[in-house]
Amino acid sequence: MPGRGAELSSRVFFRRYFMEIYPHFIPDLRRDFPTVTPNDELISMLIYMKHSSEEIALNLGISRQSVNTARYRLRKKLGLDKETDLDMFMTSRKG
């Protein structure tokens, strides 16, 4: 699959850069919610940076529907009810 190495490399670079700026976000997320996957972390980081679902889809090279599915699954892992806004929940966490 062409471009897969570049995609992986850019995700690694993004994670590294994010962790330099927000060093507590991922360790705290992992501590509080040990079932989150690396993909959940990536979605969470983009939400924390206030990216829209459209922007997340473009950044990850996936469809908007895939982003919505990932957001739904993430909400379930975090134990959020329907009234709790995922974006507000993520942006309220310490970076």
Side-chain angles (χ1 to χ4, degrees):
M1 175 180 259
R4 181 77 174 132
E7 179 183 318
L8 185 58
S9 176
S10 65
R11 287 184 184 191
V12 169
F13 176 77
F14 171 72
R15 281 180 176 277
R16 219 176 269 149
Y17 183 70
F18 183 91
M19 291 292 289
E20 285 180 22
I21 298 170
Y22 309 106
H24 302 285
F25 185 80
I26 293 300
D28 290 352
L29 186 68
R30 288 175 182 162
R31 181 197 65 225
D32 296 342
F33 307 100
T35 61
V36 295
T37 65
N39 191 55
D40 295 331
E41 293 172 1
L42 195 55
I43 298 283
S44 298
M45 288 186 277
L46 292 166
I47 292 171
Y48 185 76
M49 295 176 64
K50 300 184 181 190
H51 286 250
S52 68
S53 291
E54 292 85 8
E55 292 169 324
I56 293 170
L58 285 171
N59 282 317
L60 300 181
I62 60 176
S63 70
R64 169 77 194 271
Q65 183 57 44
S66 294
V67 173
N68 290 342
T69 300
R71 291 174 62 94
Y72 172 78
R73 290 178 180 156
L74 181 58
R75 291 178 59 80
K76 289 194 70 113
K77 287 180 185 177
L78 301 177
L80 301 180
D81 58 31
K82 289 183 179 185
E83 289 76 38
T84 305
D85 183 84
L86 179 61
D87 292 35
M88 293 291 287
F89 177 82
M90 284 299 168
T91 56
S92 70
R93 295 184 63 83
K94 184 175 113 183

